[in-house]
Amino acid sequence: MNNIDVPFYNLNNSQSTPIEPPPIIELFQNAFQGHTPDFITRSPGRVNLIGEHIDYSQFNVLPMAIDVDMSLAVKIISSHSKNPSVTLINVDPQFANRKFDLPLDGQYITIDPSVSDWSNYFKCGLLVAHTFLKQKFPSKFNNSPLCGLEVFCLGNVPVGSGLSSSTAFICSVALAILKANIGLDHNVTKSDLLNMTINAEHYLGVNNGGMDQATSIWGQQGHALYVQFKPTLTATPFKFPEFASPENTKEIQFVIANTLIVANKFETGPINYNLRVVEVIVAANVLASMCGVALSYDPNSDFQKGNLRDFMNSYFITFSKDKDPWNGDLTTGIQKLNKMLSLVEEKLGPYAHTGFTVDQAAIALGCSREEFTRNYLTVVPIRFQVLKLYQRAKHVFSEALRVLQAVKVMMCNGQDFNSSTDFFKQFGTLMNQSQSSCSQLYECSTPELNEMCEIALQNGSYGSRLTGAGWGGCTVHLVPKENVEQVKTALIDQYYKKRYPFISNHDLQNAIIVSKPASGTCGFII
């Protein structure tokens, strides 16, 4: 990623901005009587098109920013105030107004993660931005308070839907803190904003990997982002092909539909998310042991045990002339991942129907039951009968392969397709294969997710899959513009009105989002 500045558009400029500013100014003025904001920041939500549950194995993913966002209207209160404070008002009445003081000596604010409050997410963005300011401008910010602020928050990213509303909020906050304190004429680079926000939610005990932040900040109209985690975090835009047709009926759009099933990751983690993380780490180490490979990995990684990408790199360093870790190259990656899939069949296939007991896994790793339990089963809370190493490893390697195949399809940019239908079929097939793998191999789908995908496919979607980890949340559907209303109507009639017969029109409107790939973080000077 190049050192590109986060764009800031002047609303007083006679030239129109390329992005429509959010309708937030009047809302701010009504909330803070007699005051007008100085500027606006906004960051979009995101949807992952392909690449589910492979980021914590550090394989590449293919998300895009979407046409819903979290916006802040901000008024700067003089930094010379004796009692600098931040006042927060949210358009959503379920989020009560908040006000907190800023330390006069320039010290950091504190966050109590045990208290569930929406203002904690604001404080996360403030804290990482403050850290950046102290590092870059120590003489100004080490012993002096930050500016006080009045902030109005407006968001239409559904909370708890898996579309990264918290990331969008934190990115908007961090940008606002920087601009308020170093001046609207001072540029902020996208790389700096990404680096400071990537670990922001760690203060709340949420260990995310960077995909959400990279997508929200680096989103680009008409493009998906090929996000790579190694050797460094990068986000490369790939443009969706454009197909000429009367009234643009072949235009590529995505229908994002919320099942309205909320996955409680804390309560279900021991049998769902946490367990999958453990299973893929165990799978990497068992494969290494079975293949006689010394697993090389980052000692600072989770579990300090290595992941499936580490195994792939270690395998090829051991058994081929290729001594360099995979750098994300598509052709090389496709070859290596196909080899990994054949190894999974050979080494783990015999256990496909039975899984691994604790004793079998310990034997495969050449350690005692007690040592295996201590090293793998007590790091995070998990519950299981057997470890499904074959299924989890096959999903991760095949899903990583689908990401590369999807990028190759996009690289054609329409040139190798006889018609738009060819692109929809090829990209849609990969999405459908991803859903099948999530459902059958990774077991992170649900009856609701499966039903929603089937309804959409029968009514004009070319590719339908879960997004945002699964076990509830949202689905995403690749749909040409001419089929969008048909897909929406089918989902409303066959899913929402059957499962939720008393659902309101307002809730229906919030449940379904129609989006093209959208632009990333930006701001507006008022």
Side-chain angles (χ1 to χ4, degrees), residues 287-365:
L287 282 168
S289 179
M290 287 180 165
C291 293
V293 170
L295 190 57
S296 176
Y297 57 88
D298 181 352
N300 296 317
S301 63
D302 292 340
F303 283 62
Q304 290 82 50
K305 289 295 179 183
N307 55 46
L308 286 169
R309 179 163 177 170
D310 293 326
F311 165 67
M312 184 177 81
N313 286 332
S314 299
Y315 179 88
F316 282 99
I317 288 172
T318 304
F319 293 111
S320 77
K321 297 178 181 179
D322 184 3
K323 300 305 179 184
D324 294 321
W326 177 51
N327 64 2
D329 174 73
L330 298 183
T331 301
T332 303
I334 288 171
Q335 293 171 349
K336 290 186 173 184
L337 287 166
N338 276 314
K339 176 60 179 177
M340 291 297 101
L341 286 168
S342 68
L343 280 177
V344 169
E345 293 296 337
E346 176 188 344
K347 303 297 184 181
L348 302 180
Y351 301 88
H353 298 295
T354 60
F356 280 75
T357 65
V358 170
D359 288 331
Q360 287 173 319
I363 291 170
L365 291 170

Side-chain angles (χ1 to χ4, degrees), residues 70-234:
M70 301 295 291
S71 302
L72 309 178
V74 182
K75 181 169 182 60
I76 305 168
I77 308 300
S78 173
S79 59
H80 301 296
S81 170
K82 293 182 179 180
N83 297 295
S85 63
V86 174
T87 303
L88 304 176
I89 299 179
N90 199 306
V91 70
D92 190 335
Q94 72 171 308
F95 301 118
N97 297 353
R98 292 288 182 257
K99 183 175 182 178
F100 57 90
D101 294 327
L102 297 170
L104 289 172
D105 58 0
Q107 294 301 304
Y108 295 118
I109 58 166
T110 58
I111 300 174
D112 184 356
S114 67
V115 177
S116 179
D117 189 86
W118 74 281
S119 65
N120 276 351
Y121 288 94
F122 186 96
K123 291 177 180 178
C124 284
L126 186 153
L127 186 56
V128 296
H130 195 186
T131 301
F132 175 84
L133 291 171
K134 280 178 171 287
Q135 292 170 348
K136 191 137 187 177
F137 309 99
S139 62
K140 183 176 181 180
F141 292 102
N142 271 349
N143 301 303
S144 300
L146 296 175
C147 295
L149 303 174
E150 292 177 340
V151 184
F152 189 88
C153 308
L154 172 67
N156 58 355
V157 185
V159 177
S161 62
L163 300 179
S164 296
S165 60
S166 59
T167 293
F169 185 40
I170 287 172
C171 290
S172 290
V173 171
L175 179 60
I177 299 301
L178 295 179
K179 285 289 187 176
N181 284 278
I182 59 178
L184 295 177
D185 57 346
H186 193 291
N187 293 330
V188 176
T189 70
K190 293 184 178 184
S191 294
D192 282 343
L193 187 61
L194 173 60
N195 290 333
M196 75 180 72
T197 57
I198 193 169
N199 294 324
E201 289 186 67
H202 289 196
Y203 291 107
L204 300 179
V206 178
N207 291 308
N208 42 17
M211 175 187 74
D212 296 348
Q213 293 81 1
T215 310
S216 188
I217 293 168
W218 285 86
Q220 191 168 327
Q221 280 187 336
H223 294 69
L225 293 177
Y226 179 49
V227 178
Q228 303 180 73
F229 301 98
K230 284 188 172 183
T232 58
L233 180 62
T234 60

Side-chain angles (χ1 to χ4, degrees), residues 459-473:
N459 288 275
S461 169
Y462 282 85
S464 296
R465 61 177 298 275
L466 63 84
T467 188
W471 295 298

